[in-house]
Amino acid sequence: MITLYTWDTPNGRKISIALEELGLDYDVIPINIHTGEQHAPEFSKISPSNKIPVINDGGRILFESGAILLYLAQKTAKLLASVNSESYWQQIIWLQWQVGNFGPSVGQAHHFLHYNKNVSTYSEQRYLQQTLTLYEDLNQQLSGKDFVTGSALSIADISIWPWVARFQYHKVDLNTFANVKRWYLQLAKRPSFEKGYKQPFIHQDIPLP
């Protein structure tokens, strides 16, 4: 049984969606990042950076959402193409695109456009423009494809999708990006995405454009 320490953030939802998609049994321990539970000494022992998500799989503890997705995919031989195939490397590329580019930029957009509006006009404009550029990259990548890297769902899709689900926070009109919208709505209908999105507690539905 896998234990998932998480909260209702895009990074947390990556892992609960992946666990649902893979059909793995798991327990959830909510870590309320708004009240500082991530800084509790017992949590610091398993998450040196005091961030969620974290999983404990029979004593094997992993943090960092990208690493966890890779671990779960390799553990089950699902959601990731065969090593050294072209599909594999495309999936790795787009997983890293999210972890190193899309997530951080969109996260800054959330910080200035949603949580701290009107604090810095420069920052709002900078991160909104970066976000729009990244959406255009994703929109082009999805042209003619059901999923980010082709015809198969992968951890790349699962990594990116929860961040797109916060489109209202970063002030993006998904109608402007037809391929992203189609892909987003397609995945939103999957039972695993619906259930995984609502962890660690049910409080809202998947937002629709």
Side-chain angles (χ1 to χ4, degrees):
M1 176 74 74
I2 293 173
T3 301
L4 169 63
Y5 301 81
T6 192
W7 195 245
D8 65 331
T9 69
N11 284 336
R13 284 169 170 153
K14 293 178 194 177
I15 310 308
S16 52
I17 289 171
L19 289 165
E20 292 291 339
E21 189 69 35
L22 292 167
L24 294 171
D25 292 331
Y26 67 103
D27 289 327
V28 174
I29 296 180
I31 301 296
N32 190 331
I33 63 175
H34 301 301
T35 60
E37 290 182 0
Q38 72 275 28
H39 297 293
E42 58 270 24
F43 186 68
S44 296
K45 292 178 182 178
I46 62 172
S47 179
S49 60
N50 299 105
K51 294 182 179 180
I52 58 91
V54 176
I55 66 167
N56 185 336
D57 185 10
R60 175 174 285 165
I61 296 171
L62 293 96
F63 57 95
E64 291 295 334
S65 60
I68 297 171
L69 287 175
L70 281 168
Y71 171 78
L72 294 174
Q74 293 181 8
K75 173 185 174 74
T76 59
K78 296 178 180 178
L79 297 177
L80 188 62
S82 299
V83 176
N84 290 328
S85 67
E86 182 58 30
S87 293
Y88 172 86
W89 287 111
Q90 285 299 309
Q91 290 163 7
I92 295 299
I93 286 168
W94 284 93
L95 172 66
Q96 295 300 320
W97 177 86
Q98 186 282 307
V99 171
N101 203 348
F102 190 65
S105 292
V106 171
Q108 289 295 329
H110 293 174
H111 182 79
F112 289 105
L113 293 167
H114 181 74
Y115 294 110
N116 296 281
K117 193 173 181 179
N118 299 323
V119 168
S120 171
T121 300
Y122 169 79
S123 298
E124 289 183 15
Q125 293 174 347
R126 172 181 171 82
Y127 289 112
L128 175 58
Q129 186 55 55
Q130 286 189 3
T131 296
L132 292 173
T133 298
L134 291 165
Y135 264 83
E136 186 56 43
D137 293 342
L138 181 60
N139 198 61
Q140 291 179 13
Q141 175 65 15
L142 284 164
S143 179
K145 300 183 184 71
D146 290 332
F147 302 102
V148 170
T149 61
S151 60
L153 178 72
S154 76
I155 55 174
D157 299 275
I158 292 174
S159 181
I160 297 167
W161 187 90
W163 284 96
V164 175
R166 286 273 175 96
F167 63 91
Q168 293 170 330
Y169 281 32
H170 45 260
K171 312 303 180 187
V172 167
D173 180 2
L174 287 189
N175 295 301
T176 306
F177 303 98
N179 297 326
V180 175
K181 178 182 177 182
R182 168 186 51 77
W183 166 84
Y184 174 76
L185 292 176
Q186 171 187 323
L187 293 184
K189 295 176 182 177
R190 295 175 76 98
S192 57
F193 277 68
E194 291 183 14
K195 189 172 181 180
Y197 181 86
K198 294 183 178 181
Q199 294 290 357
F201 47 79
I202 298 174
H203 78 290
Q204 60 179 322
D205 293 325
I206 294 173
L208 300 178

